[in-house]
Amino acid sequence: MPYIEVLYWLGLARRDLLTQSPKRDGQVFGTFALRSPVRPNPIGTSMVKLLRIEGADLIVRGLDCVDGTPLIDLKPDRCLFTPKAPPKPGDI
């Protein structure tokens, strides 16, 4: 099955936290140093498996957003289009 990248708008997410304590132990990190969903940029992304197409609907597996989340864009799996570099002397 092919994979596609789904970009979506996290309209319900907070965007006001520049530092966070993910373990709630008092140790604080900058938001951009974490993989937290609470980010100033409300654009989310997921690589999902495209199971089938039914008319105008795409049936996928692995999407991690709330029902009704607005979609921004769909992209093909970029790895399929990444050119392979030729081997260089010394490569194993």
Side-chain angles (χ1 to χ4, degrees):
M1 286 287 143
Y3 282 82
I4 59 174
E5 183 176 15
V6 179
L7 296 158
Y8 46 91
W9 187 258
L10 300 169
L12 301 177
R14 289 182 62 182
R15 294 193 285 276
D16 60 344
L17 296 177
L18 296 180
T19 59
Q20 300 177 48
S21 178
K23 295 181 182 178
R24 302 188 199 289
D25 62 0
Q27 193 172 12
V28 177
F29 299 92
T31 293
F32 295 111
L34 303 170
R35 294 189 54 84
S36 168
V38 182
R39 306 181 73 74
N41 179 352
I43 297 174
T45 181
S46 288
M47 289 300 294
V48 298
K49 185 182 286 191
L50 177 61
L51 300 177
R52 63 186 178 280
I53 300 172
E54 295 178 356
D57 296 330
L58 302 180
I59 310 304
V60 301
R61 172 159 296 152
L63 187 61
D64 63 347
C65 62
V66 177
D67 284 347
T69 298
L71 297 182
I72 297 172
D73 202 358
L74 301 171
K75 303 282 186 190
D77 182 357
R78 287 176 275 175
C79 292
L80 295 175
F81 302 102
T82 303
K84 304 291 184 215
K88 297 178 183 174
D91 284 351
I92 296 175

